[in-house]
Structures are given as C-alpha cells and as structure tokens.
C-alpha cells in the first residue's frame, strides 16, 4: 500500500507542471495583427483631419484594436479631391498592401477604391448618394464590398433652405456649389433643387472645377439680388473652403456650409452631422468586419444628431437677425 501511494503521488508531481507549461505556451503565441488602410483626401497637417483620425483610432482602441499590439494602420494622406490621378495611385498602393479593411475619406475616394478592388472591404465615413454613385446596391442591403454612412438626405436639404429663409427672408435664389465630376455632387444639387420649390426659391448650380471657374460663377450669380449659397458636403469644397468663404463675404452672400470647420474659418453657419458621433460608429463597422461580417450585409447608416454652428462675427457683418444666435447649438465668436 505504501509503495502504491508513493507511485501515485510521484505521478501527480510529474503531471502537475503540465497545465502551467501549456498556459505559458499559449501566452507566448503571437498576437494576430490586423491591418487597416486609410486613404484620406486632405494633408496630414490639416487639424480637422488629424482630429477625425485620432477619434477613429481612439474608438478602435476602445473596442480592443490598438496600434502596436494587434492593429497596424497604413495611411495615405493628401490624396487630393482635385487630383484624380493621385487618388488612383494611392488606391492601388493600398490595395496592393492587402489590408483587412480600407477606410475611404470621401465618397469619391470610395468610388475609386471600389474600381480598384471588388473584394477588399471598404468603409466610407460619409458619402453623398452611395446608391447613385454605385458604391452600394441599396442602403439596406449594400451587396458588394463597401458600406458606411451617408450624411446627406432629403430632410437635410429642407433644413438648409429653411435656415437660409430664416436669416434672409428675402432670398428667392440659391446657388449650390458642386463638384460636377462626382455623382454625389449632382445628386445633392438635384435634391436641393427639388426641395426649393415649396420655399419659392429658384436653385442653380455653380461648378467647382477650378478656383477661376468658381470666382466667375459666384460673381455672375451675385449680380442679381436676393441670393444665397449652399455648400453640400464634398471633399473638393472642403479643400477650397477658404476661397468659397472669401467669395461669400466679398459679395455679402448668406451661405450655409456642411461642416463646423467652415464656420471656424469664417463662414456664416453650418448645418450637419455631429462629427464626434460619427467616428465611433465607423470604428464599430470596422470592428464587425474584422470579426467576420461582410460589408454587403451591413446597412448604410445615417447621422443620428445634427448641429447648427454660427460665426457671430460674420453674422454681424451680414446684419443677420440676432435670433439666429439663440437657436444655434454653438456660436463661434
């Protein structure tokens, strides 16, 4: 009996370290690193761009995806909304790196990426008319390899016109500054033109092909009275926002913009999605794709909150009714 007990105890002593050894081996297994490509239309030094990307990185980290541990991000900055050749070159570079997901910084970039790859997942944080531009088959069932968010819908067009009427009741004409080479720009113009009739406003387009063409278009529009400008969301408009804002001020045209950064740079007011809400949702979409979901099965999302931002100095220069400041979500002095 004593001999049998000794052998049993010896066997237990030999077996005891094995689970700990197995745990150590598991701990030493390499962490799988996933890769994300980001193709952005603006320069790395652009403060708003840095803020957007940092918001995305932080949201990914909150979901467990941390650069240097289990995530690697390949950046291509300054693709240039007005440089199609550079967008194509950067799109091809990123696709050749074979990341798990590519984030497209604009609708136009997303379209170019989809031309470059039909299999690699693409996520767009914002895109005008993703159905019309061929990014997705339908908003509820995108199909293909792309999904994301759209920030321009019919209810928003009515709000833009309503705000312009509030600050300048005499307005009877609006010019929509669009990029005619992008389907999203034409879709935005069509939506505003359709919504303008009940407001008794005539809508026309100013094509943003070059700065010279923009200047000529705004000058011609400003010859007649009672006009205002609407700038829908577009990477090209954001790139040239300084010129647009200066022209609106020079001709004393009330203008409404799509993003807060236009107002921070001197534009009168903006009505658009709250960007701090957007990138955590983009990160959530990326997380789901990295965990195995297919972009084609993930419906395109819509903004959940909008904000009105007003530049007080510009409002005073245009003699805008003070009531506008009272309804603003944020006033920039």
């Amino acid at each position: 009996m004593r001999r049998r007990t000794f052998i049993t105890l010896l066997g237990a002593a030999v077996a005891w370290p094995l689970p700990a050894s197995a745990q150590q081996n598991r701990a030493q297994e390499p962490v799988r690193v996933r890769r994300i490509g980001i193709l952005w239309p603006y320069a790395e030094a652009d403060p708003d761009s840095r803020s957007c990307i940092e918001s995305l990185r932080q949201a990914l980290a909150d979901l467990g995806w941390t650069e240097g541990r289990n995530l690697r991000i390949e950046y291509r900055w300054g693709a240039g909304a007005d440089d199609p050749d550079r967008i194509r070159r950067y799109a091809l570079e990123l696709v050749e790196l074979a990341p798990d997901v590519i984030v497209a910084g604009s609708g136009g970039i997303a379209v170019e990426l989809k031309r470059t790859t039909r299999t690699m997942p693409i996520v767009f944080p914002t895109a005008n008319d993703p159905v019309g531009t061929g990014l997705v088959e339908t908003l509820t069932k995108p199909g293909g390899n792309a999904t994301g968010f759209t920030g321009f819908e019919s209810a928003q067009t009515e709000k833009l016109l309503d705000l312009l009427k509030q600050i300048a009741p005499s307005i009877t004409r609006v010019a929509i500054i669009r990029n005619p080479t992008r389907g999203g720009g034409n879709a935005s113009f069509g939506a505003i033109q359709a919504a303008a009739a009940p407001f008794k406003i005539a809508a026309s387009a100013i094509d943003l092909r070059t700065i010279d063409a923009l200047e000529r278009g705004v000058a011609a529009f400003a010859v007649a009275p009672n006009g205002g400008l609407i700038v829908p969301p577009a990477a090209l408009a954001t790139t040239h926002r300084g010129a647009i804002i200066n022209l609106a001020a020079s001709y004393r045209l009330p203008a409404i913009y799509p993003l807060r950064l236009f107002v921070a740079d001197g534009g009168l007011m903006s009505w658009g999605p709250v960007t701090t809400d957007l990138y955590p949702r983009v990160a959530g979409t990326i997380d789901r794709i990295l965990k195995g979901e297919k972009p084609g099965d993930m419906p395109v999302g819509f903004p959940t909150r909008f904000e009105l931002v007003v530049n007080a100095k510009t409002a005073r220069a245009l003699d805008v009714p003070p009531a506008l400041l009272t309804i603003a979500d944020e006033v920039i002095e």
Side-chain angles (χ1 to χ4, degrees), residues 162-173:
D162 179 60
L163 285 168
L164 276 179
K165 269 291 192 182
Q166 286 187 51
I167 64 171
S170 62
I171 279 183
T172 57
R173 304 178 307 120

Side-chain angles (χ1 to χ4, degrees), residues 2-17:
R2 284 194 298 271
R3 181 172 180 273
R4 189 178 296 117
T5 301
F6 171 77
I7 292 172
T8 301
L9 291 172
L10 179 62
V14 172
W16 171 254

Side-chain angles (χ1 to χ4, degrees), residues 19-34:
S21 176
Q23 289 175 4
Q24 184 178 8
N25 289 338
R26 282 197 298 271
Q28 292 175 350
E29 290 177 1
V31 176
R32 183 184 179 189
V33 178
R34 310 302 294 272

Side-chain angles (χ1 to χ4, degrees), residues 41-42 81 106-107 126 128 177-179 182 184-185 188 208 231-240 244 258-259 262:
Y42 315 117
S106 71
T126 181
N128 295 342
I177 294 179
R178 67 174 180 180
N179 179 356
R182 297 294 182 190
S188 298
L208 181 54
V231 183
L236 191 59
T238 303
T239 299
H240 297 303
I244 297 170
L259 298 170
F262 283 80

